[in-house]
Amino acid sequence: MAKRGLLTRVVVATLIGLALALLLLRTTGSADRAVREILYILSRTRPSWVAWGALLFLVSQAARALRWKVVTFRRELRLGLLLPLTAVHIGLGHVLPVRLSDVAYVALARRLGSLPVGDGTASVALSKLLDLMAMGLVVAGAASLSIPGSFSYLAPLGVAVAGGLGIALLPSITARIR
């Protein structure tokens, strides 16, 4: 019964999100025109590219849900809850201004996953720090490509290995922080 109630709440939240998106589209332009343009672009795109894009998006969502699982403090949230929660968070991020989707994530994690507000806020803060670290890794990798010399190929490899180790060791690092 609890799963059915959770599914109902997720469906209702998704419908509310779609209604909000349509409302925001109507206030910034024509929702009908936007939908027609999207359908036109999709009709001119090879189906295999659309399928690859959808697959990569789903993999990205699963990776983000796993990231939320790692950065959540003191309480274990199920992946079955984090996948739809991540989908709602991503969708709201596209329609809400000024990172309000992060505030919505904390509220939804509190409501649906019984995650204390402080823990949810800490997980969002840690997630943003991880985003900055990932951007730093990309910048460091790009900058290391410009190192002259005979061992110039080792610098990007070192950055990639260090970044990979950081990702692999993240669960044990966050466990020690807890």
Coordinates of all heavy atoms in Angstrom, one line a residue, residues 48-144:
S48 N 17.7 7.2 -34.7 CA 18.8 6.6 -34.0 C 19.5 7.7 -33.1 O 19.9 7.4 -31.9 CB 19.9 6.0 -34.9 OG 20.4 6.9 -35.7
W49 N 19.6 8.9 -33.6 CA 20.2 10.0 -32.7 C 19.3 10.3 -31.6 O 19.7 10.6 -30.5 CB 20.5 11.2 -33.6 CG 21.6 11.0 -34.5 CD1 21.6 10.9 -35.9 CD2 23.0 10.9 -34.1 NE1 22.9 10.7 -36.3 CE2 23.8 10.7 -35.3 CE3 23.7 11.0 -32.9 CZ2 25.1 10.6 -35.3 CZ3 25.1 10.9 -32.9 CH2 25.8 10.7 -34.1
V50 N 18.0 10.3 -31.8 CA 17.0 10.6 -30.8 C 17.1 9.5 -29.7 O 17.1 9.8 -28.5 CB 15.6 10.8 -31.3 CG1 14.6 10.9 -30.2 CG2 15.5 12.0 -32.3
A51 N 17.2 8.2 -30.2 CA 17.3 7.1 -29.2 C 18.6 7.2 -28.4 O 18.5 7.0 -27.2 CB 17.2 5.8 -30.0
W52 N 19.7 7.5 -29.1 CA 20.9 7.6 -28.3 C 20.9 8.8 -27.3 O 21.3 8.7 -26.2 CB 22.1 7.9 -29.3 CG 22.7 6.6 -29.8 CD1 22.6 6.1 -31.1 CD2 23.4 5.6 -29.1 NE1 23.2 4.9 -31.2 CE2 23.7 4.6 -30.0 CE3 23.8 5.5 -27.8 CZ2 24.5 3.5 -29.6 CZ3 24.5 4.4 -27.4 CH2 24.9 3.4 -28.3
G53 N 20.3 9.9 -27.7 CA 20.1 11.0 -26.8 C 19.3 10.6 -25.6 O 19.6 11.0 -24.5
A54 N 18.2 9.9 -25.8 CA 17.3 9.5 -24.7 C 18.0 8.5 -23.8 O 17.9 8.6 -22.6 CB 16.0 8.8 -25.3
L55 N 18.8 7.6 -24.4 CA 19.6 6.6 -23.6 C 20.6 7.4 -22.7 O 20.7 7.1 -21.5 CB 20.2 5.6 -24.5 CG 21.1 4.6 -23.8 CD1 20.2 3.7 -22.9 CD2 21.9 3.8 -24.8
L56 N 21.3 8.3 -23.3 CA 22.3 9.0 -22.6 C 21.7 9.9 -21.5 O 22.2 10.0 -20.4 CB 23.2 9.9 -23.5 CG 24.1 9.2 -24.4 CD1 24.8 10.1 -25.4 CD2 25.2 8.4 -23.6
F57 N 20.5 10.4 -21.8 CA 19.8 11.2 -20.7 C 19.4 10.3 -19.6 O 19.5 10.7 -18.4 CB 18.6 11.9 -21.3 CG 17.8 12.7 -20.3 CD1 18.2 13.8 -19.8 CD2 16.5 12.2 -19.9 CE1 17.5 14.5 -18.8 CE2 15.8 12.9 -18.9 CZ 16.3 14.0 -18.4
L58 N 18.9 9.1 -19.9 CA 18.5 8.2 -18.8 C 19.7 7.7 -18.0 O 19.6 7.6 -16.8 CB 17.8 6.9 -19.4 CG 16.4 7.2 -20.0 CD1 15.8 6.0 -20.7 CD2 15.4 7.7 -18.9
V59 N 20.8 7.5 -18.7 CA 22.0 7.1 -17.9 C 22.5 8.3 -17.0 O 22.9 8.0 -15.9 CB 23.1 6.7 -18.9 CG1 24.5 6.6 -18.2 CG2 22.8 5.4 -19.6
S60 N 22.4 9.5 -17.6 CA 22.7 10.7 -16.8 C 21.8 10.8 -15.5 O 22.3 11.1 -14.4 CB 22.6 11.9 -17.6 OG 22.6 13.1 -16.9
Q61 N 20.5 10.5 -15.7 CA 19.6 10.6 -14.6 C 19.9 9.5 -13.5 O 19.9 9.8 -12.3 CB 18.1 10.4 -15.1 CG 17.5 11.7 -15.5 CD 16.0 11.5 -15.6 OE1 15.5 10.9 -16.5 NE2 15.3 12.1 -14.7
A62 N 20.3 8.3 -14.0 CA 20.6 7.2 -13.1 C 21.9 7.6 -12.3 O 22.0 7.3 -11.1 CB 20.8 5.9 -13.8
A63 N 22.9 8.2 -13.0 CA 24.1 8.6 -12.4 C 23.8 9.7 -11.4 O 24.4 9.7 -10.3 CB 25.1 9.1 -13.4
R64 N 23.0 10.6 -11.7 CA 22.6 11.6 -10.7 C 21.9 11.1 -9.5 O 22.2 11.5 -8.4 CB 21.7 12.7 -11.4 CG 22.5 13.5 -12.4 CD 21.5 14.5 -13.1 NE 22.2 15.2 -14.2 CZ 21.7 16.3 -14.7 NH1 20.6 16.9 -14.2 NH2 22.4 16.8 -15.7
A65 N 21.0 10.1 -9.7 CA 20.3 9.5 -8.6 C 21.4 8.7 -7.7 O 21.3 8.8 -6.5 CB 19.3 8.5 -9.1
L66 N 22.3 8.1 -8.3 CA 23.4 7.4 -7.5 C 24.2 8.4 -6.8 O 24.6 8.2 -5.6 CB 24.3 6.6 -8.4 CG 23.7 5.3 -9.0 CD1 24.6 4.6 -10.0 CD2 23.4 4.3 -7.8
R67 N 24.4 9.6 -7.4 CA 25.2 10.6 -6.7 C 24.4 11.1 -5.4 O 25.0 11.3 -4.4 CB 25.5 11.8 -7.6 CG 26.2 12.9 -6.9 CD 26.4 14.1 -7.8 NE 25.2 14.8 -8.0 CZ 25.1 15.9 -8.7 NH1 26.1 16.5 -9.1 NH2 23.9 16.5 -8.9
W68 N 23.1 11.3 -5.6 CA 22.3 11.7 -4.4 C 22.3 10.6 -3.4 O 22.4 10.9 -2.2 CB 20.8 11.9 -4.8 CG 20.5 13.2 -5.6 CD1 20.0 13.3 -6.8 CD2 20.8 14.5 -5.1 NE1 19.9 14.6 -7.2 CE2 20.4 15.4 -6.2 CE3 21.3 15.1 -4.0 CZ2 20.5 16.8 -6.1 CZ3 21.4 16.5 -3.9 CH2 21.0 17.3 -4.9
K69 N 22.4 9.4 -3.8 CA 22.5 8.3 -2.8 C 23.8 8.3 -2.0 O 23.8 8.1 -0.8 CB 22.4 6.9 -3.5 CG 22.2 5.7 -2.6 CD 21.9 4.5 -3.5 CE 21.6 3.3 -2.7 NZ 20.5 3.4 -1.7
V70 N 24.9 8.7 -2.7 CA 26.2 8.8 -2.0 C 26.3 10.0 -1.1 O 26.8 9.9 0.0 CB 27.3 8.8 -3.1 CG1 28.6 9.2 -2.5 CG2 27.4 7.5 -3.8
V71 N 25.7 11.1 -1.5 CA 25.9 12.4 -0.7 C 24.8 12.6 0.3 O 24.9 13.6 1.1 CB 26.0 13.6 -1.6 CG1 27.1 13.5 -2.6 CG2 24.7 13.9 -2.4
T72 N 23.9 11.7 0.4 CA 22.8 11.8 1.5 C 23.4 11.4 2.8 O 24.0 10.3 2.9 CB 21.6 11.0 1.1 OG1 21.1 11.4 -0.1 CG2 20.5 11.1 2.2
F73 N 23.3 12.2 3.8 CA 23.8 12.0 5.1 C 22.9 11.2 6.0 O 21.7 11.4 6.0 CB 24.1 13.3 5.8 CG 25.3 14.0 5.2 CD1 25.2 14.9 4.1 CD2 26.6 13.8 5.7 CE1 26.3 15.5 3.6 CE2 27.7 14.4 5.2 CZ 27.5 15.3 4.1
R74 N 23.5 10.3 6.8 CA 22.8 9.6 7.9 C 21.6 8.8 7.6 O 21.1 8.0 8.4 CB 22.5 10.5 9.0 CG 23.7 11.1 9.7 CD 23.3 11.9 10.9 NE 22.7 13.1 10.5 CZ 22.8 14.2 11.1 NH1 23.4 14.3 12.3 NH2 22.2 15.3 10.7
R75 N 21.0 8.9 6.4 CA 19.8 8.2 6.1 C 20.0 7.6 4.7 O 20.4 8.3 3.8 CB 18.6 9.1 6.2 CG 17.4 8.4 6.0 CD 16.2 8.9 6.6 NE 16.5 9.4 8.0 CZ 15.6 9.7 8.8 NH1 14.3 9.6 8.5 NH2 15.8 10.2 10.0
E76 N 19.6 6.4 4.6 CA 19.7 5.7 3.3 C 18.4 5.9 2.5 O 17.3 5.5 3.0 CB 19.9 4.2 3.5 CG 20.1 3.4 2.3 CD 21.5 3.6 1.7 OE1 22.4 4.0 2.4 OE2 21.7 3.2 0.5
L77 N 18.4 6.6 1.4 CA 17.3 6.7 0.5 C 17.4 5.6 -0.6 O 18.4 5.4 -1.2 CB 17.2 8.1 -0.1 CG 16.9 9.2 0.8 CD1 16.9 10.6 0.1 CD2 15.7 9.0 1.6
R78 N 16.3 5.0 -0.9 CA 16.2 3.9 -1.9 C 16.4 4.5 -3.3 O 15.9 5.6 -3.5 CB 14.9 3.1 -1.8 CG 14.6 2.4 -0.5 CD 13.3 1.7 -0.5 NE 12.3 2.2 -1.4 CZ 11.4 3.2 -1.2 NH1 11.5 3.8 0.0 NH2 10.5 3.6 -2.1
L79 N 17.0 3.7 -4.1 CA 17.2 4.1 -5.5 C 15.8 4.3 -6.2 O 15.6 5.1 -7.0 CB 18.1 3.1 -6.2 CG 18.7 3.6 -7.5 CD1 19.5 4.9 -7.3 CD2 19.6 2.6 -8.2
G80 N 14.9 3.4 -5.8 CA 13.5 3.5 -6.3 C 12.8 4.8 -6.0 O 12.0 5.3 -6.8
L81 N 13.2 5.5 -5.0 CA 12.7 6.8 -4.6 C 13.6 7.9 -5.3 O 13.0 8.9 -5.8 CB 12.7 7.0 -3.1 CG 12.4 8.5 -2.7 CD1 11.0 8.8 -3.0 CD2 12.7 8.6 -1.2
L82 N 14.9 7.7 -5.3 CA 15.8 8.7 -5.9 C 15.6 8.9 -7.4 O 15.8 10.0 -7.9 CB 17.2 8.4 -5.5 CG 17.6 8.6 -4.1 CD1 18.9 8.0 -3.7 CD2 17.5 10.1 -3.7
L83 N 15.3 7.8 -8.1 CA 15.1 8.0 -9.6 C 14.0 8.9 -10.0 O 14.3 9.9 -10.7 CB 15.0 6.6 -10.2 CG 16.2 5.7 -10.3 CD1 15.9 4.3 -10.8 CD2 17.2 6.4 -11.3
P84 N 12.8 8.7 -9.5 CA 11.8 9.7 -9.8 C 12.0 11.1 -9.2 O 11.7 12.1 -9.8 CB 10.5 9.1 -9.3 CG 10.9 8.0 -8.4 CD 12.2 7.6 -8.7
L85 N 12.6 11.1 -8.0 CA 12.9 12.4 -7.3 C 13.9 13.2 -8.2 O 13.8 14.4 -8.3 CB 13.5 12.1 -5.9 CG 13.7 13.3 -5.0 CD1 12.4 14.1 -4.8 CD2 14.2 12.8 -3.7
T86 N 14.9 12.5 -8.7 CA 15.9 13.1 -9.6 C 15.2 13.6 -10.9 O 15.6 14.7 -11.3 CB 17.0 12.1 -9.9 OG1 17.6 11.7 -8.7 CG2 18.1 12.7 -10.8
A87 N 14.3 12.8 -11.4 CA 13.6 13.3 -12.6 C 12.8 14.6 -12.4 O 12.9 15.5 -13.2 CB 12.7 12.2 -13.1
V88 N 12.2 14.6 -11.2 CA 11.4 15.8 -10.9 C 12.4 17.0 -10.7 O 12.2 18.1 -11.1 CB 10.5 15.6 -9.6 CG1 9.9 16.9 -9.1 CG2 9.4 14.6 -10.0
H89 N 13.5 16.7 -10.0 CA 14.5 17.8 -9.7 C 15.1 18.3 -11.0 O 15.2 19.5 -11.2 CB 15.6 17.2 -8.8 CG 16.7 18.1 -8.5 ND1 17.9 18.0 -9.1 CD2 16.8 19.2 -7.7 CE1 18.7 19.0 -8.7 NE2 18.0 19.7 -7.8
I90 N 15.4 17.5 -11.9 CA 15.9 17.9 -13.2 C 14.9 18.7 -14.0 O 15.2 19.8 -14.5 CB 16.4 16.7 -14.1 CG1 17.6 16.1 -13.4 CG2 16.7 17.1 -15.5 CD1 18.0 14.7 -14.0
G91 N 13.6 18.2 -14.0 CA 12.6 18.9 -14.7 C 12.3 20.3 -14.1 O 12.2 21.3 -14.8
L92 N 12.3 20.4 -12.8 CA 12.1 21.7 -12.1 C 13.2 22.6 -12.4 O 13.1 23.8 -12.5 CB 11.8 21.5 -10.6 CG 10.5 20.9 -10.3 CD1 10.4 20.6 -8.8 CD2 9.3 21.7 -10.7
G93 N 14.4 22.0 -12.5 CA 15.6 22.9 -12.8 C 15.5 23.6 -14.1 O 16.1 24.6 -14.3
H94 N 14.7 23.0 -15.1 CA 14.5 23.7 -16.4 C 13.5 24.8 -16.3 O 13.5 25.6 -17.2 CB 14.2 22.6 -17.4 CG 15.3 21.7 -17.7 ND1 16.4 22.1 -18.3 CD2 15.4 20.3 -17.5 CE1 17.2 21.0 -18.5 NE2 16.6 20.0 -18.0
V95 N 12.6 24.7 -15.4 CA 11.5 25.7 -15.4 C 11.6 26.7 -14.2 O 11.0 27.8 -14.3 CB 10.1 25.1 -15.4 CG1 9.9 24.3 -16.7 CG2 9.9 24.2 -14.2
L96 N 12.2 26.4 -13.1 CA 12.3 27.3 -12.0 C 13.6 28.1 -12.1 O 14.6 27.6 -12.5 CB 12.3 26.5 -10.7 CG 11.0 25.8 -10.4 CD1 11.1 25.0 -9.1 CD2 9.8 26.7 -10.3
P97 N 13.5 29.4 -11.7 CA 14.7 30.2 -11.7 C 15.6 30.0 -10.5 O 15.2 29.4 -9.5 CB 14.1 31.6 -11.7 CG 12.8 31.5 -10.9 CD 12.3 30.1 -11.3
V98 N 16.8 30.5 -10.6 CA 17.7 30.6 -9.5 C 17.9 29.4 -8.6 O 17.8 29.5 -7.4 CB 17.4 31.8 -8.6 CG1 18.5 32.2 -7.7 CG2 16.9 33.0 -9.4
R99 N 18.1 28.2 -9.2 CA 18.3 27.0 -8.5 C 17.2 26.7 -7.4 O 17.5 26.0 -6.4 CB 19.7 27.0 -7.8 CG 20.9 27.3 -8.7 CD 21.0 26.4 -9.8 NE 21.3 25.0 -9.3 CZ 21.3 24.0 -10.1 NH1 21.1 24.1 -11.4 NH2 21.5 22.8 -9.7
L100 N 16.0 27.1 -7.7 CA 14.9 26.8 -6.7 C 14.6 25.3 -6.8 O 14.0 24.8 -5.8 CB 13.7 27.6 -7.1 CG 13.7 29.0 -6.6 CD1 12.5 29.8 -7.1 CD2 13.9 29.2 -5.2
S101 N 15.1 24.6 -7.8 CA 14.8 23.1 -7.9 C 15.6 22.4 -6.7 O 15.2 21.4 -6.3 CB 15.2 22.6 -9.2 OG 16.6 22.7 -9.4
D102 N 16.7 23.0 -6.3 CA 17.4 22.4 -5.1 C 16.6 22.6 -3.9 O 16.6 21.6 -3.0 CB 18.8 23.1 -5.0 CG 19.7 22.8 -6.1 OD1 19.6 21.7 -6.8 OD2 20.6 23.6 -6.4
V103 N 15.9 23.7 -3.7 CA 15.1 23.8 -2.5 C 13.9 22.8 -2.6 O 13.5 22.2 -1.6 CB 14.5 25.3 -2.5 CG1 13.5 25.5 -1.3 CG2 15.7 26.3 -2.3
A104 N 13.4 22.7 -3.9 CA 12.3 21.7 -4.1 C 12.8 20.3 -3.8 O 12.1 19.5 -3.2 CB 11.8 21.8 -5.5
Y105 N 14.1 20.0 -4.2 CA 14.6 18.7 -3.9 C 14.6 18.4 -2.4 O 14.2 17.3 -1.9 CB 16.0 18.5 -4.4 CG 16.7 17.2 -4.0 CD1 16.4 16.1 -4.7 CD2 17.5 17.2 -2.9 CE1 17.0 14.9 -4.2 CE2 18.1 16.0 -2.5 CZ 17.8 14.9 -3.1 OH 18.4 13.7 -2.7
V106 N 15.1 19.4 -1.6 CA 15.1 19.2 -0.1 C 13.7 19.0 0.4 O 13.5 18.1 1.2 CB 15.8 20.4 0.5 CG1 15.6 20.4 2.1 CG2 17.2 20.6 0.1
A107 N 12.7 19.7 -0.1 CA 11.4 19.6 0.4 C 10.8 18.2 0.0 O 10.1 17.6 0.8 CB 10.5 20.7 -0.2
L108 N 11.0 17.8 -1.3 CA 10.5 16.5 -1.7 C 11.2 15.4 -1.0 O 10.6 14.4 -0.6 CB 10.7 16.4 -3.2 CG 9.8 17.2 -4.1 CD1 10.2 17.2 -5.5 CD2 8.3 16.7 -3.9
A109 N 12.5 15.5 -0.7 CA 13.2 14.4 0.0 C 12.7 14.3 1.4 O 12.6 13.3 2.0 CB 14.7 14.7 0.0
R110 N 12.3 15.5 2.0 CA 11.8 15.5 3.3 C 10.4 14.8 3.3 O 10.1 14.0 4.2 CB 11.6 17.0 3.8 CG 10.8 17.2 5.0 CD 11.6 16.8 6.3 NE 10.8 17.2 7.5 CZ 10.3 16.2 8.2 NH1 10.4 15.0 7.9 NH2 9.6 16.6 9.3
R111 N 9.6 15.2 2.3 CA 8.2 14.7 2.3 C 8.1 13.2 1.9 O 7.4 12.5 2.6 CB 7.4 15.6 1.3 CG 6.0 15.1 1.1 CD 5.1 15.7 2.1 NE 3.7 15.4 1.7 CZ 2.8 14.9 2.5 NH1 3.1 14.7 3.8 NH2 1.6 14.7 2.1
L112 N 8.8 12.8 0.9 CA 8.7 11.5 0.3 C 9.7 10.5 1.0 O 9.4 9.3 1.1 CB 8.9 11.5 -1.2 CG 8.0 12.3 -2.0 CD1 8.4 12.4 -3.4 CD2 6.5 11.8 -1.8
G113 N 10.9 11.0 1.4 CA 11.9 10.1 1.9 C 12.2 10.3 3.4 O 13.1 9.7 4.0
S114 N 11.4 11.2 4.1 CA 11.6 11.4 5.5 C 13.0 11.9 5.8 O 13.6 11.6 6.9 CB 11.2 10.2 6.4 OG 9.9 9.9 6.2
L115 N 13.7 12.6 4.9 CA 15.0 13.0 5.1 C 14.9 14.4 5.8 O 14.3 15.3 5.4 CB 15.7 13.2 3.7 CG 17.2 13.6 3.7 CD1 18.0 12.4 4.2 CD2 17.6 13.9 2.3
P116 N 15.6 14.5 7.0 CA 15.6 15.8 7.7 C 16.1 16.9 6.8 O 16.9 16.7 5.9 CB 16.5 15.5 8.8 CG 16.6 14.1 9.0 CD 16.4 13.5 7.7
V117 N 15.5 18.1 7.0 CA 15.9 19.3 6.2 C 17.3 19.6 6.2 O 18.0 19.9 5.2 CB 15.0 20.5 6.6 CG1 15.5 21.7 5.9 CG2 13.6 20.2 6.4
G118 N 18.0 19.5 7.4 CA 19.4 19.7 7.5 C 20.2 18.8 6.6 O 21.2 19.1 6.0
D119 N 19.8 17.5 6.7 CA 20.5 16.5 5.9 C 20.3 16.7 4.4 O 21.3 16.5 3.6 CB 20.1 15.1 6.3 CG 20.5 14.7 7.7 OD1 21.1 15.5 8.4 OD2 20.2 13.5 8.1
G120 N 19.1 17.1 4.0 CA 18.9 17.3 2.6 C 19.6 18.5 2.1 O 20.2 18.5 1.0
T121 N 19.7 19.6 2.9 CA 20.5 20.8 2.6 C 21.9 20.5 2.5 O 22.6 20.9 1.6 CB 20.2 21.9 3.6 OG1 18.8 22.1 3.7 CG2 20.9 23.2 3.3
A122 N 22.4 19.6 3.4 CA 23.9 19.2 3.4 C 24.2 18.4 2.1 O 25.2 18.6 1.5 CB 24.2 18.4 4.6
S123 N 23.2 17.6 1.7 CA 23.5 16.8 0.5 C 23.5 17.6 -0.7 O 24.3 17.4 -1.7 CB 22.4 15.6 0.4 OG 21.1 16.1 0.2
V124 N 22.6 18.7 -0.8 CA 22.6 19.6 -1.9 C 23.9 20.4 -1.9 O 24.6 20.5 -3.0 CB 21.4 20.6 -1.8 CG1 21.6 21.7 -2.8 CG2 20.1 19.8 -2.1
A125 N 24.4 20.8 -0.8 CA 25.7 21.6 -0.7 C 26.8 20.7 -1.1 O 27.7 21.2 -1.9 CB 25.9 22.1 0.7
L126 N 26.9 19.5 -0.7 CA 27.9 18.6 -1.1 C 27.8 18.3 -2.6 O 28.9 18.2 -3.3 CB 27.9 17.3 -0.3 CG 29.0 16.3 -0.5 CD1 30.3 16.9 -0.3 CD2 28.8 15.1 0.4
S127 N 26.6 18.1 -3.1 CA 26.4 17.9 -4.5 C 27.0 19.1 -5.3 O 27.6 18.9 -6.4 CB 25.0 17.7 -4.8 OG 24.7 17.6 -6.2
K128 N 26.7 20.3 -4.9 CA 27.3 21.5 -5.6 C 28.8 21.5 -5.6 O 29.4 21.9 -6.5 CB 26.7 22.8 -5.0 CG 25.2 22.9 -5.2 CD 24.8 22.6 -6.7 CE 23.3 22.2 -6.8 NZ 23.0 21.6 -8.1
L129 N 29.3 21.1 -4.4 CA 30.8 21.1 -4.3 C 31.4 20.0 -5.3 O 32.4 20.2 -5.9 CB 31.2 20.8 -2.9 CG 31.0 21.9 -1.9 CD1 31.3 21.4 -0.5 CD2 31.9 23.1 -2.2
L130 N 30.7 18.9 -5.4 CA 31.1 17.9 -6.3 C 31.0 18.4 -7.8 O 31.9 18.1 -8.6 CB 30.3 16.6 -6.2 CG 30.6 15.8 -4.9 CD1 29.6 14.7 -4.8 CD2 32.0 15.3 -4.9
D131 N 30.0 19.2 -8.1 CA 29.9 19.8 -9.4 C 31.1 20.7 -9.7 O 31.7 20.7 -10.8 CB 28.6 20.6 -9.5 CG 27.4 19.7 -9.6 OD1 27.5 18.5 -9.8 OD2 26.3 20.3 -9.4
L132 N 31.5 21.5 -8.7 CA 32.6 22.3 -8.8 C 33.9 21.5 -9.0 O 34.8 21.9 -9.9 CB 32.8 23.3 -7.6 CG 31.8 24.4 -7.5 CD1 31.9 25.1 -6.2 CD2 31.9 25.4 -8.7
M133 N 34.0 20.4 -8.3 CA 35.2 19.6 -8.5 C 35.2 18.9 -9.9 O 36.3 18.8 -10.5 CB 35.2 18.5 -7.4 CG 35.4 19.0 -6.0 SD 35.1 17.8 -4.7 CE 36.3 16.5 -5.1
A134 N 34.1 18.5 -10.4 CA 34.0 18.0 -11.7 C 34.4 19.0 -12.8 O 35.2 18.7 -13.7 CB 32.6 17.4 -12.0
M135 N 33.9 20.2 -12.6 CA 34.3 21.3 -13.5 C 35.8 21.6 -13.4 O 36.5 21.8 -14.4 CB 33.5 22.6 -13.3 CG 32.1 22.5 -13.8 SD 31.2 24.1 -13.6 CE 30.9 24.1 -11.9
G136 N 36.4 21.5 -12.2 CA 37.8 21.7 -12.0 C 38.6 20.6 -12.7 O 39.6 20.8 -13.3
L137 N 38.1 19.4 -12.6 CA 38.7 18.3 -13.3 C 38.8 18.4 -14.8 O 39.8 18.2 -15.4 CB 38.0 17.0 -12.9 CG 38.6 15.7 -13.3 CD1 40.0 15.5 -12.7 CD2 37.8 14.5 -12.9
V138 N 37.7 18.9 -15.3 CA 37.6 19.1 -16.8 C 38.6 20.3 -17.2 O 39.3 20.1 -18.2 CB 36.2 19.5 -17.2 CG1 36.1 20.0 -18.7 CG2 35.3 18.3 -17.1
V139 N 38.6 21.3 -16.4 CA 39.5 22.5 -16.7 C 41.0 22.0 -16.6 O 41.8 22.3 -17.4 CB 39.2 23.7 -15.8 CG1 40.3 24.7 -15.9 CG2 37.8 24.3 -16.2
A140 N 41.2 21.2 -15.5 CA 42.6 20.7 -15.3 C 43.0 19.8 -16.4 O 44.2 19.9 -16.9 CB 42.7 20.0 -13.9
G141 N 42.1 19.0 -16.9 CA 42.4 18.1 -18.0 C 42.7 18.9 -19.3 O 43.7 18.6 -20.0
A142 N 41.9 19.9 -19.5 CA 42.1 20.7 -20.7 C 43.4 21.5 -20.6 O 44.2 21.6 -21.6 CB 40.9 21.7 -20.9
A143 N 43.7 22.0 -19.4 CA 44.9 22.8 -19.3 C 46.2 21.9 -19.4 O 47.2 22.3 -19.9 CB 44.9 23.5 -17.9
S144 N 46.0 20.7 -18.9 CA 47.2 19.8 -18.9 C 47.5 19.4 -20.3 O 48.7 18.9 -20.6 CB 46.9 18.5 -18.1 OG 45.9 17.7 -18.7

